[in-house]
């Protein structure tokens, strides 16, 4: 830790989600020293949102000894733009859905001018893994978040790949089934996230239930109500159809990762998000499929890792890591 | 140009191909001051190959004022490994097909210890475009070489993406048709290069001739003898089937580039190689298909460029650029 870090030993992390905005004050080892939260959607405009955030933050900043102890702030947010520090047209945020909000600048001005960096949530997760998590010390890895959708953050040569417009790393929208793929929310068909997200698993369940007669615990449910968690619970009880659903999901994700390897030949793929709770149900077919599908020169090389950051704090840690990286 | 460059104004480039090894002495503007060549396969072992190379090089080095004028050497070679400076198990090189040849070190020792960098041909082409070519000043672009096979070199944040093992950037082996794809030389099916290389175009021609009755100039030929050049000549005469073959090729390549955009959101795709001689026949359907298939946030952003480096010297320039980049 250098002298400046010793005097300013903390960064603020903000995990700005569609529902909650969680703040944490984090030290260089990834220990959360104080935390607080506000409701993201309870505000009509960005000024009110920032005012409420600053009120909440002052309390936890005082707990760690005041703003003098804070080096920087990092924000992970949907549609966050690292180059401009703004949130651009985020469909799920009432105060940012129809314009661009210069959130990094607004926070910096209200926090005595400390540097504030903002990036999207998947990129923040990748930086978090590199600084505090299972990818510590790695220069080349791909982070894939498997939640409601599929997000990604790509690290090459020890740097985040932002691309020409900060919009790089949308691997959830790689088209994995170019012929007769599933319709995606993005308006196209066959995107990875229509198969390998939590909602993708639920879609697979409905498809498999319809096209087969295999008995299954899932048949006791209204097909529209089935979630990936239900599938995972059934699979853990040995339900054959549920196991097939995870086989299919892992198989397709492994095939996709095999294609990603040709791009950046990563040392590891790191997975995070709700779907990873299925553990080996997902990871075993994934790794097997990867090694079956990948070009020979890459075979058996990449590690497949689950994020070891605690789920509830990982997003805040990821956001805070952006602060260390400024 | 800094002082050292003023005193050592040249680099040597070696384009080490399966048939010819072409040497050039190049200045910082990409002007080739002297050039020579030897036959790559005329030697039984690497010592004989390097001896013959040094004999040929001495003549052109003397032409530019001696080894004191040379800053470095860059080599572009099949299976070239930038991290180790060796050529590893290159199937087409009689003196390197069954072992690893530390070629960079061998040349450096014979050239008074100047730095020698070695990378594969597609990466050399990408660095060449960044230093002398159409990608000058770009920090994020993807170079795709469309020859007998499909190669690629990826630049992110102004740096070559080598990955964890220097084997990144094999986009010719992205599987673009996961279901019933064409068999590929790599042992898998559906790789991009089975469709969008010179040999891929010839395969498409044979497929299209067989499955349709459309009259075509190509029917006058023995199907096994058809090359991509024949298809291009027929298409330029307005041959309907030949035009459809290029439509299909461009369509598929555009679809693939749309997927690549999700990875690194490049400022440009730069194309090089025999197939690009077809010009608009390939590029128009390619750009149209890209914009049809790409995720909305990337639409209309990337440039599609043809390498402006002279075909016969581009590979030598690319190799020499590796020398400037050391």
């Amino acid at each position: 830790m250098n002298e400046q870090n010793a005097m300013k030993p903390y960064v603020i992390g903000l995990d700005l989600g569609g529902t909650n905005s969680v703040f944490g004050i984090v030290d260089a080892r990834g220990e959360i020293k104080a935390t607080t939260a506000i409701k993201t959607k309870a505000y009509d405009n960005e000024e009110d949102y920032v005012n409420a955030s600053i009120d909440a933050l002052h309390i936890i900043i005082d707990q760690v000894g005041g703003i003098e102890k804070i080096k920087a702030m990092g924000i992970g947010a949907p549609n966050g733009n690292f180059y401009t520090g703004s949130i651009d047209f985020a469909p799920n945020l009432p105060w940012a859905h129809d314009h661009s909000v210069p959130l990094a600048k607004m926070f910096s001005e209200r926090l005595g001018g400390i540097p504030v960096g903002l990036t999207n949530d998947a990129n923040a997760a990748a930086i978090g893994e590199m600084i505090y998590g299972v990818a510590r010390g790695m220069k080349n890895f791909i982070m894939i978040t498997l939640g409601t959708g599929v997000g990604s953050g790509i690290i090459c040569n020890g740097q985040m790949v932002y691309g020409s417009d900060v919009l790089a790393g949308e691997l959830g929208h790689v088209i994995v089934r170019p012929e007769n793929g599933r319709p995606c929310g993005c308006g196209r068909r066959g995107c990875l996230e229509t198969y390998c997200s939590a909602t993708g698993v639920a879609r697979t369940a409905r498809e498999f239930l319809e096209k087969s007669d295999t008995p299954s615990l899932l048949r006791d449910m209204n097909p529209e109500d089935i979630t990936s968690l239900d599938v995972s619970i059934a699979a853990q009880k040995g339900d054959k159809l549920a196991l097939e659903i995870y086989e299919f999901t892992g198989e397709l994700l492994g095939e996709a990762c095999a294609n990603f390897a040709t791009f950046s030949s990563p040392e590891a793929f790191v997975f995070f998000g709700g779907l990873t709770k299925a553990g080996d149900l997902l990871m075993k077919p994934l790794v097997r499929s990867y090694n079956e599908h990948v070009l020979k020169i890459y075979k058996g090389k990449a590690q497949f890792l689950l994020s070891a950051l605690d789920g509830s704090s990982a997003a805040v840690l990821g956001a805070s890591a952006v602060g260390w990286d400024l």
Side-chain angles (χ1 to χ4, degrees), chain A residues 76-97:
Chain A
N79 296 46
N81 184 318
F82 179 74
Y83 290 162
T84 62
S86 59
I87 295 181
D88 302 333
F89 303 89
N92 294 323
L93 301 181
W95 44 266
H97 73 280

Side-chain angles (χ1 to χ4, degrees), chain A residues 52-277:
Chain A
S53 298
I54 295 292
D55 288 348
L57 267 175
H58 273 318
I59 298 168
I60 58 168
I61 290 174
D62 287 346
Q63 286 172 20
V64 300
I67 190 74
E68 308 78 44
K69 300 282 182 190
I70 310 287
K71 180 179 177 285
M73 176 177 182
I75 305 172
N79 296 46
N81 184 318
F82 179 74
Y83 290 162
T84 62
S86 59
I87 295 181
D88 302 333
F89 303 89
N92 294 323
L93 301 181
W95 44 266
H97 73 280
D98 62 353
H99 64 301
S100 178
V101 174
L103 203 65
K105 186 163 166 275
M106 293 172 77
F107 271 105
S108 179
E109 283 171 2
R110 298 292 297 276
L111 293 169
I114 62 167
V116 180
L118 179 152
T119 190
N120 77 38
D121 14 22
N123 289 345
I127 298 172
E129 291 298 337
M130 183 165 63
I131 294 194
Y132 312 117
V134 293
R136 256 194 316 266
M138 287 188 194
K139 299 257 179 234
N140 294 281
F141 70 96
I142 298 180
M143 173 96 200
I144 299 182
T145 59
L146 304 167
T148 313
V150 173
S152 66
I154 302 160
I155 305 281
C156 291
N157 297 335
Q159 297 166 355
M160 190 80 223
V161 174
Y162 284 115
S164 60
D165 54 2
V166 98
L167 296 173
E170 286 289 351
L171 300 183
H173 291 284
V174 162
I175 292 176
V176 293
R177 282 292 172 268
E179 293 160 312
N180 306 312
R182 290 182 184 168
C184 181
C186 74
R188 304 176 308 151
R189 300 182 78 101
C191 292
L192 181 62
E193 82 169 26
T194 67
Y195 297 91
C196 300
S197 60
T199 47
V201 167
R203 279 167 94 163
T204 303
R206 288 191 287 276
E207 256 184 46
F208 279 28
L209 284 167
E210 207 177 298
K211 78 175 179 195
S212 91
D213 292 326
T214 314
S216 170
L217 296 166
L218 299 169
R219 294 198 189 275
D220 301 338
M221 298 183 68
N222 177 350
E224 292 309 311
D225 295 339
I226 295 174
T227 66
S228 63
L229 184 63
D230 299 319
V231 182
S232 150
I233 291 168
Q236 268 141 13
K237 290 179 184 162
D239 187 89
K240 190 161 168 272
L241 196 80
L243 287 167
E244 281 170 18
I245 293 165
Y246 272 104
E247 280 285 324
F248 173 83
T249 309
E251 168 85 18
L252 229 153
L253 189 54
E255 196 186 299
C257 289
N259 268 351
F260 302 161
T262 65
F263 209 100
S264 66
S265 189
E267 188 174 339
F269 292 90
V270 182
F271 298 90
F272 176 75
L275 209 59
T276 62
K277 294 196 183 112

